[in-house]
Amino acid sequence: MIAITRAVSPRIVECELTCHDREPIDAARASAQHERYEQWLDRHGARIVRADPAPEHPDGVFVEDAAVVLDEIAIITRPGAESRRGETDSVARLLHDYRPLHRIEEPATIDGGDVLTIGRSIFVGQSTRTNDLAVEQLREIVTPHGYEVTAVPLRECLHLKSAATAVGDGTLLVNPRCVDRESFPGLEVIAVPETEPGAANVLCLAGALLISSSYPETRRMLQHRGLAVETIDYQELEKAEAGVTCCSILFRGPSPGREEAPPVTPE
């Protein structure tokens, strides 16, 4: 397993915010938390590959939004926040060594945090960062590889993965305030406690689940179901509307082919 990450920008306090009020962020503490996050990935078998630092981009540490990586191809996104569009080129340079590349083209916009892949099903959040044109472009790119794309309405959250992530094969952890259970037919849905609406973002790697230490009730609930749950202090990054999936792009090793595919142009 490969994990693309990027260092925390010293300007993280200037990050884009959609649903949270702005709070002071300690950049040094955020960097320390991110370092422990990378250590967790390393302990669970991921090889860390760091994108070039982007100190000029306050949100640059949240590399998940820059690309969607499947077994066959990688799709370079066009982030919904204009300030973030300069983050993708350095990620594309790295991914070129692992996957044939496609790109989402303007006027479409999409953040990787809105894309949840479960097997051959791809769920795409209809958020303030991702528009319908991007859903159609993504569908056109991935359908030849056997994937089915479903648009998922969202409310009161930044990204789909703010409201729903996988905790195992066929099972999702969901905040029903932000997304309807019926959006995921055929999958088991576990609702987060009402007292912990931000807890739906977890990271599954090598049979272990990583969850922020901010959500002890959700951790206990998942452990009661027999899941191996580990926690991390993520509070400074959470002030930037981050969840534990946001700071890495996880994917299996390289597939053949290195050429960048032509862009998909909507009709």
Side-chain angles (χ1 to χ4, degrees):
M1 187 66 71
I2 295 166
I4 293 179
T5 64
R6 193 196 320 264
V8 174
S9 168
R11 295 176 55 188
I12 189 171
V13 69
E14 302 170 39
C15 63
E16 295 280 350
L17 293 174
T18 299
C19 301
H20 291 187
D21 293 332
R22 194 169 298 278
E23 300 178 66
I25 299 175
D26 185 326
R29 187 174 179 219
S31 293
Q33 290 174 353
H34 185 255
E35 182 178 353
R36 289 191 290 272
Y37 173 82
E38 289 183 317
Q39 290 169 354
W40 186 90
L41 294 172
D42 179 72
R43 286 198 306 273
H44 289 81
R47 179 167 66 88
I48 305 297
V49 178
R50 294 185 179 89
D52 291 340
E56 71 281 14
H57 289 292
D59 290 283
V61 65
F62 307 126
V63 290
E64 177 184 51
D65 290 323
V68 176
V69 183
L70 305 174
D71 286 344
E72 302 85 359
I73 59 174
I75 302 102
I76 306 304
T77 67
R78 184 170 182 265
E82 186 174 358
S83 66
R84 301 198 61 190
R85 291 177 191 157
E87 299 173 20
T88 61
D89 286 348
S90 58
V91 173
R93 286 194 295 271
L94 286 181
L95 285 173
H96 188 269
D97 291 335
Y98 299 99
R99 297 287 193 275
L101 299 185
H102 295 255
R103 291 180 183 269
I104 299 296
E105 299 292 326
E106 64 176 321
T109 63
I110 188 169
D111 284 6
D114 270 322
V115 181
L116 176 63
T117 302
I118 309 290
R120 311 304 287 186
S121 298
I122 299 178
F123 300 94
V124 184
Q126 294 174 304
S127 71
T128 60
R129 303 288 179 89
T130 296
N131 62 26
D132 291 342
L133 288 173
V135 176
E136 289 307 312
Q137 285 190 28
L138 182 66
R139 181 177 287 118
E140 197 167 343
I141 291 167
V142 304
T143 296
H145 298 281
Y147 293 89
E148 182 178 355
V149 174
T150 301
V152 178
L154 298 177
R155 52 189 177 268
E156 300 179 30
C157 67
L158 174 59
H159 290 134
L160 176 58
K161 286 185 182 175
S162 306
T165 48
V167 298
D169 292 338
T171 305
L172 299 182
L173 184 65
V174 167
N175 178 0
R177 285 171 44 181
C178 298
V179 63
D180 293 330
R181 296 168 178 261
E182 293 74 21
S183 298
F184 309 102
L187 298 175
E188 180 184 5
V189 172
I190 305 170
V192 299
E194 291 185 4
T195 54
E196 295 182 349
N201 185 277
V202 298
L203 182 64
C204 187
L205 179 61
L209 283 178
L210 181 66
I211 187 170
S212 168
S213 57
S214 299
Y215 308 116
E217 190 176 350
T218 302
R219 173 183 57 80
R220 289 190 294 268
M221 179 185 71
L222 294 172
Q223 288 175 328
H224 185 70
R225 295 176 64 96
L227 298 170
V229 184
E230 302 176 25
T231 60
I232 190 170
D233 180 4
Y234 210 65
Q235 291 183 354
E236 292 304 307
L237 294 162
E238 285 170 341
K239 294 176 184 177
E241 289 188 308
V244 291
T245 67
C246 298
C247 290
S248 61
I249 303 172
L250 293 174
F251 59 95
R252 287 184 280 268
S255 63
R258 298 291 184 266
E259 294 303 315
E260 182 160 354
V264 171
T265 303
E267 297 181 358

